[in-house]
Amino acid sequence: MIEPFNDEYFMKKAFAEAVQAFDEGEIPVGAVVVSKGKIIARAHNLTETLNDVTAHAEMQAITAAANLLGGKYLNDCTLYVTLEPCVMCAGALGWSQIGKIVYGASDEKRGFKKFAAKALHPKTEIVSGIFETECAELLQEFFQKKRK
Amino acid sequence: MIEPFNDEYFMKKAFAEAVQAFDEGEIPVGAVVVSKGKIIARAHNLTETLNDVTAHAEMQAITAAANLLGGKYLNDCTLYVTLEPCVMCAGALGWSQIGKIVYGASDEKRGFKKFAAKALHPKTEIVSGIFETECAELLQEFFQKKRK
């Protein structure tokens, strides 16, 4: 059976956001929030453009999704993000009580799993590794380009 | 020697922000950011008003301070906040590389010290317990009032 709206489908949308960040000279991380099979928020990292360390893709996506839903809890939502959330974003996702998080690449240096393992709500489901290689390679390409 | 602009002075300003949050029906946490002896940002918790779990006092203060300074790093700044920062806010403060954090009351349930001890930049200085009782009592009063 064909499942067009699966985790891969939505991660591709998050990846498209990451590519947009790349094109804007931002560390390429993208995210979408899905509720009842529909994308209700899209965002990409804007820390350089907005001159604001809090402007990670996930933070903007949480704010936008809550704004659209009219409630600050995201229990029925899934966040798709190309990179493992950092401590800040995991803390925010914890407050939001988001239902599920799907991420692409792992982040050994800054990821929440290592530095804030209990930041999320206990009921939040986590899936990792969807398009891991593509998400990681986009980041590597960005940092290689920056070093030149 | 009289030192009018010491930690107590600035914590009183953060406390005034917390009182404002209280009056607005928000969990009463307030913050100010100080750079070179001057307050460059003031904020209080607005999660209910903005319907946004990311609208903690510290997050808004970081964004406002960076906006005023025109750079996203706050190495020369001190954050005064009435409650120990949560995981999200500590993560954000880590990214900002803030020079010093002074907080009032401890937060055993949600504070970063327990859940993300390494979230801050290694050079960030931490001072705690300034007007601890007053900051904690304001929070207790808020939650007691809510339960009625």
Side-chain angles (χ1 to χ4, degrees), chain A residues 87-143:
Chain A
V87 171
M88 169 181 73
C89 293
L93 290 162
W95 287 118
S96 79
Q97 302 182 13
I98 197 155
K100 184 178 167 185
I101 299 170
V102 181
Y103 67 83
S106 291
D107 186 352
E108 296 299 323
K109 283 189 188 169
R110 297 283 200 163
F112 80 96
K113 285 208 163 179
K114 192 171 170 183
F115 296 100
K118 292 181 181 175
L120 300 179
H121 191 273
K123 286 190 180 170
T124 300
E125 185 190 342
I126 305 174
V127 174
S128 64
I130 306 291
F131 291 122
E132 183 170 8
T133 309
E134 291 82 352
C135 294
E137 281 178 356
L138 187 68
L139 283 156
Q140 284 157 15
E141 196 185 329
F142 178 82
F143 287 114

Short mmCIF file of all heavy atoms in Angstrom, two decimals, chain A residues 87-143:
data_model
loop_
_atom_site.label_atom_id
_atom_site.label_comp_id
_atom_site.label_asym_id
_atom_site.label_seq_id
_atom_site.Cartn_x
_atom_site.Cartn_y
_atom_site.Cartn_z
N VAL A 87 19.60 21.68 23.29
CA VAL A 87 19.04 21.76 24.64
C VAL A 87 17.89 22.78 24.70
O VAL A 87 16.83 22.50 25.25
CB VAL A 87 20.15 22.15 25.65
CG1 VAL A 87 19.56 22.45 27.02
CG2 VAL A 87 21.17 21.02 25.76
N MET A 88 18.12 23.95 24.12
CA MET A 88 17.08 24.99 24.11
C MET A 88 15.80 24.48 23.45
O MET A 88 14.69 24.59 24.02
CB MET A 88 17.59 26.23 23.37
CG MET A 88 16.52 27.27 23.07
SD MET A 88 17.16 28.71 22.18
CE MET A 88 17.45 28.03 20.53
N CYS A 89 15.94 23.93 22.25
CA CYS A 89 14.77 23.49 21.50
C CYS A 89 14.08 22.30 22.18
O CYS A 89 12.86 22.22 22.20
CB CYS A 89 15.16 23.14 20.07
SG CYS A 89 15.70 24.60 19.14
N ALA A 90 14.87 21.39 22.75
CA ALA A 90 14.29 20.26 23.48
C ALA A 90 13.51 20.77 24.70
O ALA A 90 12.43 20.26 25.00
CB ALA A 90 15.37 19.28 23.90
N GLY A 91 14.05 21.78 25.37
CA GLY A 91 13.34 22.37 26.51
C GLY A 91 12.01 22.97 26.07
O GLY A 91 10.98 22.76 26.71
N ALA A 92 12.03 23.68 24.95
CA ALA A 92 10.79 24.27 24.42
C ALA A 92 9.80 23.19 24.00
O ALA A 92 8.60 23.28 24.28
CB ALA A 92 11.12 25.17 23.23
N LEU A 93 10.31 22.13 23.36
CA LEU A 93 9.45 21.02 22.94
C LEU A 93 8.86 20.31 24.16
O LEU A 93 7.72 19.85 24.12
CB LEU A 93 10.24 20.04 22.07
CG LEU A 93 10.61 20.61 20.68
CD1 LEU A 93 11.74 19.80 20.05
CD2 LEU A 93 9.39 20.62 19.77
N GLY A 94 9.62 20.26 25.23
CA GLY A 94 9.13 19.70 26.49
C GLY A 94 7.95 20.50 27.02
O GLY A 94 6.90 19.95 27.35
N TRP A 95 8.12 21.82 27.06
CA TRP A 95 7.02 22.69 27.52
C TRP A 95 5.78 22.52 26.64
O TRP A 95 4.65 22.60 27.11
CB TRP A 95 7.44 24.16 27.52
CG TRP A 95 8.39 24.56 28.61
CD1 TRP A 95 9.64 25.04 28.46
CD2 TRP A 95 8.14 24.55 30.04
NE1 TRP A 95 10.21 25.32 29.69
CE2 TRP A 95 9.32 25.02 30.66
CE3 TRP A 95 7.06 24.17 30.83
CZ2 TRP A 95 9.43 25.14 32.06
CZ3 TRP A 95 7.17 24.28 32.22
CH2 TRP A 95 8.34 24.76 32.81
N SER A 96 5.99 22.33 25.33
CA SER A 96 4.86 22.25 24.39
C SER A 96 4.14 20.90 24.48
O SER A 96 3.06 20.75 23.92
CB SER A 96 5.35 22.43 22.95
OG SER A 96 5.92 21.22 22.46
N GLN A 97 4.75 19.93 25.16
CA GLN A 97 4.18 18.58 25.27
C GLN A 97 3.90 17.97 23.90
O GLN A 97 2.91 17.23 23.72
CB GLN A 97 2.89 18.60 26.11
CG GLN A 97 3.09 19.14 27.51
CD GLN A 97 1.82 19.10 28.35
OE1 GLN A 97 0.84 18.47 27.99
NE2 GLN A 97 1.85 19.76 29.49
N ILE A 98 4.74 18.26 22.94
CA ILE A 98 4.52 17.77 21.57
C ILE A 98 4.41 16.25 21.55
O ILE A 98 5.10 15.55 22.30
CB ILE A 98 5.64 18.28 20.63
CG1 ILE A 98 5.20 18.16 19.17
CG2 ILE A 98 6.98 17.59 20.90
CD1 ILE A 98 5.89 19.11 18.23
N GLY A 99 3.53 15.74 20.68
CA GLY A 99 3.26 14.31 20.65
C GLY A 99 4.42 13.46 20.13
O GLY A 99 4.71 12.40 20.67
N LYS A 100 5.07 13.94 19.08
CA LYS A 100 6.11 13.14 18.41
C LYS A 100 7.15 14.04 17.79
O LYS A 100 6.82 15.12 17.28
CB LYS A 100 5.43 12.28 17.33
CG LYS A 100 6.33 11.30 16.59
CD LYS A 100 5.48 10.49 15.59
CE LYS A 100 6.34 9.73 14.59
NZ LYS A 100 5.52 9.05 13.56
N ILE A 101 8.39 13.61 17.84
CA ILE A 101 9.49 14.33 17.18
C ILE A 101 10.20 13.36 16.25
O ILE A 101 10.57 12.25 16.67
CB ILE A 101 10.51 14.86 18.22
CG1 ILE A 101 9.83 15.86 19.19
CG2 ILE A 101 11.70 15.51 17.53
CD1 ILE A 101 10.70 16.24 20.39
N VAL A 102 10.35 13.77 15.01
CA VAL A 102 11.11 12.97 14.04
C VAL A 102 12.29 13.80 13.59
O VAL A 102 12.10 14.92 13.08
CB VAL A 102 10.23 12.61 12.81
CG1 VAL A 102 11.02 11.76 11.82
CG2 VAL A 102 8.96 11.88 13.24
N TYR A 103 13.49 13.32 13.82
CA TYR A 103 14.64 14.10 13.34
C TYR A 103 15.53 13.31 12.40
O TYR A 103 15.50 12.08 12.40
CB TYR A 103 15.40 14.74 14.49
CG TYR A 103 16.14 13.84 15.45
CD1 TYR A 103 17.42 13.38 15.15
CD2 TYR A 103 15.60 13.50 16.68
CE1 TYR A 103 18.13 12.60 16.05
CE2 TYR A 103 16.29 12.71 17.57
CZ TYR A 103 17.56 12.25 17.25
OH TYR A 103 18.26 11.47 18.13
N GLY A 104 16.30 14.05 11.61
CA GLY A 104 17.17 13.42 10.62
C GLY A 104 18.53 13.06 11.21
O GLY A 104 18.72 11.97 11.74
N ALA A 105 19.46 14.00 11.14
CA ALA A 105 20.83 13.76 11.60
C ALA A 105 20.94 13.90 13.12
O ALA A 105 20.23 14.68 13.74
CB ALA A 105 21.78 14.74 10.91
N SER A 106 21.85 13.15 13.70
CA SER A 106 22.15 13.31 15.13
C SER A 106 23.15 14.45 15.31
O SER A 106 23.87 14.81 14.38
CB SER A 106 22.76 12.01 15.68
OG SER A 106 21.78 11.00 15.70
N ASP A 107 23.16 15.02 16.52
CA ASP A 107 24.10 16.11 16.81
C ASP A 107 24.88 15.75 18.09
O ASP A 107 24.41 15.99 19.20
CB ASP A 107 23.34 17.43 16.97
CG ASP A 107 24.28 18.62 17.13
OD1 ASP A 107 25.51 18.41 17.27
OD2 ASP A 107 23.79 19.76 17.13
N GLU A 108 26.02 15.15 17.88
CA GLU A 108 26.83 14.69 19.01
C GLU A 108 27.32 15.84 19.88
O GLU A 108 27.49 15.70 21.09
CB GLU A 108 28.04 13.89 18.50
CG GLU A 108 27.69 12.60 17.77
CD GLU A 108 26.94 11.61 18.65
OE1 GLU A 108 27.26 11.53 19.83
OE2 GLU A 108 26.00 10.95 18.14
N LYS A 109 27.56 16.99 19.26
CA LYS A 109 28.14 18.12 19.99
C LYS A 109 27.14 18.96 20.76
O LYS A 109 27.46 19.57 21.77
CB LYS A 109 28.90 19.04 19.01
CG LYS A 109 30.25 18.49 18.60
CD LYS A 109 31.03 19.52 17.82
CE LYS A 109 32.31 18.92 17.24
NZ LYS A 109 32.94 19.83 16.28
N ARG A 110 25.94 19.08 20.22
CA ARG A 110 24.97 20.00 20.81
C ARG A 110 23.59 19.39 21.04
O ARG A 110 22.68 20.07 21.49
CB ARG A 110 24.80 21.23 19.89
CG ARG A 110 26.06 22.06 19.72
CD ARG A 110 26.29 22.92 20.94
NE ARG A 110 27.18 24.04 20.66
CZ ARG A 110 27.27 25.10 21.45
NH1 ARG A 110 26.54 25.18 22.54
NH2 ARG A 110 28.09 26.07 21.16
N GLY A 111 23.41 18.14 20.67
CA GLY A 111 22.09 17.51 20.74
C GLY A 111 21.60 17.32 22.17
O GLY A 111 22.41 17.14 23.09
N PHE A 112 20.29 17.34 22.34
CA PHE A 112 19.71 17.24 23.69
C PHE A 112 19.92 15.86 24.32
O PHE A 112 19.95 15.75 25.54
CB PHE A 112 18.20 17.56 23.64
CG PHE A 112 17.34 16.42 23.17
CD1 PHE A 112 16.72 15.58 24.07
CD2 PHE A 112 17.18 16.17 21.82
CE1 PHE A 112 15.92 14.52 23.64
CE2 PHE A 112 16.39 15.11 21.39
CZ PHE A 112 15.76 14.29 22.30
N LYS A 113 20.06 14.81 23.47
CA LYS A 113 20.16 13.46 24.03
C LYS A 113 21.33 13.34 24.99
O LYS A 113 21.25 12.66 26.00
CB LYS A 113 20.28 12.43 22.91
CG LYS A 113 18.97 12.21 22.20
CD LYS A 113 18.89 10.81 21.61
CE LYS A 113 17.47 10.45 21.27
NZ LYS A 113 17.34 9.12 20.69
N LYS A 114 22.42 14.03 24.66
CA LYS A 114 23.62 13.97 25.49
C LYS A 114 23.55 14.96 26.66
O LYS A 114 24.05 14.68 27.74
CB LYS A 114 24.83 14.28 24.61
CG LYS A 114 26.16 13.99 25.23
CD LYS A 114 27.26 14.13 24.17
CE LYS A 114 28.63 14.10 24.79
NZ LYS A 114 29.67 14.32 23.75
N PHE A 115 22.95 16.13 26.42
CA PHE A 115 23.04 17.21 27.41
C PHE A 115 21.78 17.49 28.23
O PHE A 115 21.83 18.22 29.21
CB PHE A 115 23.50 18.51 26.72
CG PHE A 115 24.88 18.40 26.15
CD1 PHE A 115 25.08 18.16 24.81
CD2 PHE A 115 25.98 18.50 26.98
CE1 PHE A 115 26.37 18.03 24.29
CE2 PHE A 115 27.27 18.38 26.49
CZ PHE A 115 27.47 18.14 25.13
N ALA A 116 20.66 16.96 27.78
CA ALA A 116 19.41 17.20 28.52
C ALA A 116 18.43 16.07 28.19
O ALA A 116 17.35 16.30 27.65
CB ALA A 116 18.82 18.56 28.16
N ALA A 117 18.83 14.87 28.55
CA ALA A 117 18.10 13.66 28.14
C ALA A 117 16.65 13.64 28.60
O ALA A 117 15.79 13.03 27.97
CB ALA A 117 18.83 12.43 28.65
N LYS A 118 16.37 14.34 29.71
CA LYS A 118 15.00 14.34 30.25
C LYS A 118 14.23 15.62 29.96
O LYS A 118 13.28 15.95 30.67
CB LYS A 118 15.05 14.08 31.76
CG LYS A 118 15.50 12.66 32.08
CD LYS A 118 15.51 12.40 33.57
CE LYS A 118 15.99 10.99 33.86
NZ LYS A 118 16.13 10.74 35.30
N ALA A 119 14.65 16.35 28.93
CA ALA A 119 14.02 17.64 28.64
C ALA A 119 12.61 17.49 28.07
O ALA A 119 11.76 18.35 28.27
CB ALA A 119 14.88 18.43 27.66
N LEU A 120 12.37 16.40 27.37
CA LEU A 120 11.07 16.24 26.71
C LEU A 120 10.00 15.74 27.66
O LEU A 120 10.30 15.21 28.73
CB LEU A 120 11.20 15.25 25.54
CG LEU A 120 12.19 15.64 24.44
CD1 LEU A 120 12.22 14.57 23.37
CD2 LEU A 120 11.84 16.99 23.82
N HIS A 121 8.76 15.90 27.26
CA HIS A 121 7.63 15.35 28.01
C HIS A 121 7.73 13.82 27.95
O HIS A 121 8.05 13.26 26.90
CB HIS A 121 6.32 15.83 27.37
CG HIS A 121 5.11 15.55 28.20
ND1 HIS A 121 4.43 14.36 28.12
CD2 HIS A 121 4.49 16.27 29.14
CE1 HIS A 121 3.42 14.38 28.97
NE2 HIS A 121 3.44 15.53 29.61
N PRO A 122 7.45 13.12 29.04
CA PRO A 122 7.61 11.66 29.03
C PRO A 122 6.79 10.94 27.96
O PRO A 122 7.13 9.84 27.54
CB PRO A 122 7.19 11.24 30.44
CG PRO A 122 6.60 12.44 31.09
CD PRO A 122 7.12 13.63 30.39
N LYS A 123 5.70 11.56 27.51
CA LYS A 123 4.85 10.90 26.50
C LYS A 123 5.30 11.16 25.06
O LYS A 123 4.73 10.60 24.12
CB LYS A 123 3.40 11.37 26.67
CG LYS A 123 2.71 10.76 27.88
CD LYS A 123 1.22 11.04 27.87
CE LYS A 123 0.53 10.43 29.07
NZ LYS A 123 -0.86 10.88 29.18
N THR A 124 6.25 12.04 24.87
CA THR A 124 6.69 12.38 23.51
C THR A 124 7.42 11.20 22.87
O THR A 124 8.39 10.68 23.42
CB THR A 124 7.61 13.62 23.54
OG1 THR A 124 6.88 14.72 24.10
CG2 THR A 124 8.09 13.98 22.14
N GLU A 125 6.94 10.83 21.68
CA GLU A 125 7.57 9.73 20.94
C GLU A 125 8.72 10.31 20.10
O GLU A 125 8.60 11.42 19.56
CB GLU A 125 6.50 9.12 20.02
CG GLU A 125 6.93 7.90 19.25
CD GLU A 125 5.90 7.49 18.18
OE1 GLU A 125 4.72 7.95 18.28
OE2 GLU A 125 6.27 6.76 17.26
N ILE A 126 9.81 9.57 20.00
CA ILE A 126 10.95 10.07 19.22
C ILE A 126 11.34 9.07 18.14
O ILE A 126 11.49 7.87 18.41
CB ILE A 126 12.19 10.33 20.11
CG1 ILE A 126 11.84 11.28 21.25
CG2 ILE A 126 13.34 10.92 19.28
CD1 ILE A 126 12.97 11.48 22.24
N VAL A 127 11.50 9.58 16.92
CA VAL A 127 11.99 8.77 15.80
C VAL A 127 13.21 9.50 15.25
O VAL A 127 13.18 10.72 15.09
CB VAL A 127 10.91 8.63 14.70
CG1 VAL A 127 11.47 7.91 13.48
CG2 VAL A 127 9.68 7.90 15.24
N SER A 128 14.28 8.78 14.99
CA SER A 128 15.47 9.46 14.46
C SER A 128 16.00 8.75 13.23
O SER A 128 15.63 7.61 12.95
CB SER A 128 16.55 9.54 15.54
OG SER A 128 16.97 8.24 15.88
N GLY A 129 16.85 9.45 12.48
CA GLY A 129 17.55 8.83 11.36
C GLY A 129 16.84 8.88 10.02
O GLY A 129 17.31 8.29 9.05
N ILE A 130 15.71 9.60 9.94
CA ILE A 130 15.00 9.71 8.65
C ILE A 130 15.80 10.68 7.75
O ILE A 130 15.97 11.85 8.10
CB ILE A 130 13.56 10.24 8.85
CG1 ILE A 130 12.79 9.39 9.88
CG2 ILE A 130 12.82 10.32 7.52
CD1 ILE A 130 12.43 8.00 9.45
N PHE A 131 16.26 10.18 6.62
CA PHE A 131 17.14 10.96 5.72
C PHE A 131 18.36 11.53 6.47
O PHE A 131 18.79 12.66 6.22
CB PHE A 131 16.37 12.08 5.01
CG PHE A 131 15.39 11.59 4.01
CD1 PHE A 131 14.04 11.92 4.11
CD2 PHE A 131 15.78 10.78 2.96
CE1 PHE A 131 13.11 11.44 3.20
CE2 PHE A 131 14.86 10.30 2.03
CZ PHE A 131 13.52 10.63 2.14
N GLU A 132 18.87 10.72 7.37
CA GLU A 132 20.02 11.13 8.19
C GLU A 132 21.20 11.60 7.34
O GLU A 132 21.78 12.67 7.59
CB GLU A 132 20.45 9.93 9.05
CG GLU A 132 21.58 10.25 10.00
CD GLU A 132 21.82 9.12 11.01
OE1 GLU A 132 21.21 8.04 10.89
OE2 GLU A 132 22.62 9.34 11.92
N THR A 133 21.56 10.80 6.35
CA THR A 133 22.73 11.11 5.51
C THR A 133 22.56 12.44 4.78
O THR A 133 23.45 13.30 4.81
CB THR A 133 22.96 9.97 4.48
OG1 THR A 133 22.99 8.75 5.20
CG2 THR A 133 24.27 10.16 3.75
N GLU A 134 21.39 12.63 4.17
CA GLU A 134 21.14 13.86 3.42
C GLU A 134 21.19 15.08 4.34
O GLU A 134 21.78 16.11 4.00
CB GLU A 134 19.77 13.79 2.72
CG GLU A 134 19.68 12.79 1.58
CD GLU A 134 19.42 11.35 2.03
OE1 GLU A 134 19.46 11.08 3.25
OE2 GLU A 134 19.18 10.50 1.16
N CYS A 135 20.55 14.96 5.49
CA CYS A 135 20.50 16.08 6.44
C CYS A 135 21.91 16.42 6.95
O CYS A 135 22.27 17.60 7.07
CB CYS A 135 19.59 15.75 7.62
SG CYS A 135 17.85 15.55 7.18
N ALA A 136 22.70 15.40 7.25
CA ALA A 136 24.06 15.61 7.76
C ALA A 136 24.96 16.19 6.67
O ALA A 136 25.77 17.09 6.93
CB ALA A 136 24.63 14.29 8.27
N GLU A 137 24.81 15.67 5.44
CA GLU A 137 25.67 16.14 4.34
C GLU A 137 25.43 17.61 4.01
O GLU A 137 26.35 18.34 3.66
CB GLU A 137 25.47 15.26 3.10
CG GLU A 137 26.24 13.95 3.21
CD GLU A 137 26.03 13.01 2.03
OE1 GLU A 137 25.20 13.34 1.14
OE2 GLU A 137 26.66 11.94 2.00
N LEU A 138 24.19 18.04 4.12
CA LEU A 138 23.87 19.45 3.87
C LEU A 138 24.59 20.34 4.88
O LEU A 138 25.16 21.39 4.53
CB LEU A 138 22.35 19.67 3.94
CG LEU A 138 21.84 21.05 3.54
CD1 LEU A 138 22.05 21.30 2.05
CD2 LEU A 138 20.36 21.21 3.88
N LEU A 139 24.61 19.91 6.13
CA LEU A 139 25.33 20.66 7.18
C LEU A 139 26.84 20.65 6.92
O LEU A 139 27.50 21.69 7.02
CB LEU A 139 25.02 20.05 8.55
CG LEU A 139 23.65 20.40 9.12
CD1 LEU A 139 23.17 19.35 10.11
CD2 LEU A 139 23.67 21.77 9.78
N GLN A 140 27.37 19.47 6.57
CA GLN A 140 28.81 19.37 6.28
C GLN A 140 29.19 20.29 5.12
O GLN A 140 30.22 20.98 5.17
CB GLN A 140 29.18 17.93 5.94
CG GLN A 140 29.25 17.01 7.17
CD GLN A 140 29.07 15.55 6.83
OE1 GLN A 140 29.16 15.16 5.66
NE2 GLN A 140 28.81 14.72 7.83
N GLU A 141 28.37 20.29 4.09
CA GLU A 141 28.63 21.13 2.91
C GLU A 141 28.66 22.61 3.32
O GLU A 141 29.51 23.38 2.87
CB GLU A 141 27.54 20.88 1.87
CG GLU A 141 27.91 21.39 0.47
CD GLU A 141 26.75 21.22 -0.51
OE1 GLU A 141 25.95 20.26 -0.38
OE2 GLU A 141 26.62 22.08 -1.41
N PHE A 142 27.74 22.98 4.19
CA PHE A 142 27.67 24.38 4.65
C PHE A 142 28.95 24.77 5.38
O PHE A 142 29.53 25.82 5.11
CB PHE A 142 26.46 24.55 5.57
CG PHE A 142 26.33 25.94 6.13
CD1 PHE A 142 25.74 26.96 5.39
CD2 PHE A 142 26.81 26.25 7.40
CE1 PHE A 142 25.62 28.24 5.91
CE2 PHE A 142 26.71 27.52 7.92
CZ PHE A 142 26.11 28.52 7.17
N PHE A 143 29.40 23.93 6.29
CA PHE A 143 30.58 24.28 7.10
C PHE A 143 31.87 24.21 6.27
O PHE A 143 32.79 25.00 6.49
CB PHE A 143 30.65 23.41 8.36
CG PHE A 143 29.61 23.79 9.38
CD1 PHE A 143 28.59 22.93 9.71
CD2 PHE A 143 29.64 25.04 9.98
CE1 PHE A 143 27.61 23.30 10.63
CE2 PHE A 143 28.67 25.42 10.90
CZ PHE A 143 27.65 24.55 11.23
#
